[in-house]
Amino acid sequence: MRNYTKPILPPSTIGIIGGGQLGQMMALSAKAMGYQVGVLDPTPNAPAGQVADFQLTADYDDQAALTELARRSDVLTYEFENVDQASLSQVAELTQIPQGIELLTITSHRLREKDFCRQHQLPVTPYASVKSMADLQAAINDIGQPGLLKTVEGGYDGHGQFDINDKTDWAKIEAEINQTEWIYELRQSFVKELSVMVTRDGRDHVITFPVSENIHQHHILHTSIVPARIDESVRQAADQIARQTAEALQLRGVLGIELFELDDDRLMINELAPRPHNSGHYSIEACNVSQFDAHIRSICGLPIPAIKQFEPAVMVNLLGDALVAGREGWAQHPEWHLHDYGKAEIRPGRKMGHITVTGSNIESLLASVNQFR
């Protein structure tokens, strides 16, 4: 893999694997800085393709298309973790991939991710590998229940996971359990779901964003409140976990770290996302540097100033038809920062856009977007 010793400056071309909303916001940041942007995505006129200089319309594992993107790009990045690693490794000599492939290898596989955390003394819930009903029974005997059984690869927004409360839940997964590899995790009783974005800049300085308090509905992030309503000791602990994780990974690009705050104020890592994260969208309006600006600066080897949040923020996802309500309500809410991702089809539960509001009082901000809560 080619390494760089000096920053990648505009008008160099940044190639993005994935053309969804995260890629779109990466592209918008890159274009504002003067970079050229290319996108690989199988959906014609994908959200990122709409704002990029060019889009290659092909599957993510299409080796010819990925090779073309690599040849036309000075640096390559990705907007999601399920990138085909074998395909990516074949183009590693053609361009610069600052995030590397090992980051994907770790974060795209839940068992490897938990093993990585354990090896680096990062807090995670007790877990076990499961490939059969016998493994599941052994895991429950060793770890306890209730728990969660998750596929080690491919799941998102609650897909690919099952609640395991007692033996009555076993029947739900008995027919599927031999078809793939799973991880069983002890479910934690938490008081808040939190997240923090972290990166390392071109000088290897670790840069962290404020801690976000996240509210989920049906396993999908619905609302983020920043700064999180937590004690200072918890904030410091989250920041330390983020810094420790970034150093252990020799991180490039932005990493999202999802955390559980337990009732004794301890934190546990839920998941790592090797890219900008939904809960970091507030930073576009609320911070001196957005998570997308930070991602572009990091992968291009540029310095990043300390992150400053100007005022509190609330971000709410617009899922499915909520986008229509968001568009229609915008005329009555000048305080809304509406982001419409430009997706061709509205589907239930699909992230179609988001709204961010900023101001001095969090309760007032929550009231402003109350119709979506």
Side-chain angles (χ1 to χ4, degrees):
M1 189 179 302
R2 287 170 47 189
N3 294 312
Y4 57 83
T5 56
K6 59 181 181 179
I8 300 167
L9 300 175
S12 300
T13 298
I14 297 172
I16 303 173
I17 304 171
Q21 65 267 19
L22 296 178
Q24 182 187 70
M25 287 179 271
M26 286 182 198
L28 288 169
S29 284
K31 291 298 295 178
M33 297 178 195
Y35 291 97
Q36 301 292 299
V37 176
V39 171
L40 172 63
D41 194 277
T43 303
N45 198 35
Q50 295 169 22
V51 300
D53 295 280
F54 65 91
Q55 177 182 335
L56 303 178
T57 305
D59 289 335
Y60 302 121
D61 59 355
D62 184 317
Q63 195 62 56
L66 186 58
T67 299
E68 181 181 351
L69 181 66
R71 290 189 184 281
R72 295 175 67 175
S73 302
D74 298 287
V75 61
L76 207 58
T77 186
Y78 35 79
E79 70 146 12
F80 60 96
E81 48 267 54
N82 294 315
V83 176
D84 187 82
Q85 295 152 42
S87 298
L88 193 60
S89 66
Q90 291 186 48
V91 302
E93 295 301 322
L94 301 177
T95 188
Q96 298 176 45
I97 311 176
Q99 292 160 277
I101 298 171
E102 184 181 7
L103 179 62
L104 285 175
T105 301
I106 293 169
T107 58
S108 65
H109 191 280
R110 288 188 171 100
L111 189 59
R112 285 196 291 264
E113 183 175 285
K114 287 290 192 296
D115 286 345
F116 166 83
C117 291
R118 180 179 284 175
Q119 290 162 9
H120 291 87
Q121 292 76 54
L122 295 164
V124 291
T125 191
Y127 65 94
S129 173
V130 170
K131 297 179 181 178
S132 66
M133 288 303 298
D135 288 344
L136 178 59
Q137 293 172 31
I140 290 171
N141 290 337
D142 183 43
I143 296 172
Q145 58 184 10
L148 291 168
L149 185 68
K150 305 177 182 179
T151 56
V152 295
E153 294 182 293
Y156 67 96
D157 288 346
H159 297 282
Q161 71 179 49
F162 295 90
D163 292 318
I164 305 295
N165 298 298
D166 51 45
K167 285 188 176 181
T168 59
D169 294 318
W170 295 13
K172 300 175 185 176
I173 48 88
E174 194 162 6
E176 298 184 46
I177 200 162
N178 294 321
Q179 297 178 15
T180 187
E181 185 180 3
W182 306 79
I183 182 172
Y184 178 75
E185 301 175 2
L186 182 67
R187 184 189 297 143
Q188 295 291 333
S189 177
F190 56 85
V191 295
K192 280 189 174 71
E193 294 183 81
L194 308 172
S195 62
V196 59
M197 308 301 111
V198 63
T199 189
R200 289 166 75 243
D201 70 5
R203 299 169 180 171
D204 294 338
H205 296 154
V206 176
I207 311 293
T208 59
F209 282 77
V211 180
S212 172
E213 175 184 343
N214 302 320
I215 300 168
H216 289 73
Q217 292 183 6
H218 310 296
H219 300 288
I220 302 173
L221 177 65
H222 189 276
T223 304
S224 291
I225 301 165
V226 194
R229 296 169 294 184
I230 53 176
D231 291 341
E232 176 62 17
S233 61
V234 177
R235 187 202 66 77
Q236 291 180 6
D239 189 82
Q240 179 56 38
I241 287 171
R243 292 177 180 278
Q244 187 177 340
T245 305
E247 293 288 14
L249 289 167
Q250 293 293 285
L251 183 65
R252 280 291 181 268
V254 164
L255 179 81
I257 305 177
E258 298 178 14
L259 300 158
F260 293 139
E261 180 192 359
L262 307 187
D263 56 11
D264 59 1
D265 289 344
R266 285 185 301 135
L267 294 176
M268 282 191 173
I269 293 175
N270 179 32
E271 288 187 356
L272 305 178
R275 50 170 172 73
H277 191 270
N278 199 175
S279 65
H281 291 346
Y282 74 92
S283 60
I284 297 172
E285 284 83 26
C287 296
N288 59 324
V289 176
S290 78
Q291 64 167 343
F292 301 100
D293 293 341
H295 183 81
I296 298 301
R297 288 190 186 206
S298 177
I299 64 171
C300 291
L302 294 164
I304 303 172
I307 303 301
K308 297 177 182 178
Q309 184 176 357
F310 301 126
E311 55 186 356
V314 167
M315 187 282 302
V316 61
N317 268 330
L318 299 177
L319 306 176
D321 288 336
L323 175 64
V324 177
R327 289 169 174 167
E328 293 174 349
W330 195 18
Q332 285 74 48
H333 289 275
E335 75 278 14
W336 288 0
H337 297 276
L338 174 66
H339 294 255
D340 184 332
Y341 303 149
K343 294 183 178 181
E345 181 185 0
I346 292 178
R347 295 200 298 263
R350 190 183 196 191
K351 297 184 181 81
M352 301 300 301
H354 73 267
I355 290 171
T356 299
V357 286
T358 65
S360 59
N361 184 276
I362 286 177
E363 292 306 318
S364 296
L365 300 180
L366 289 168
S368 172
V369 292
N370 188 60
Q371 70 186 87
F372 303 107
R373 295 171 64 195

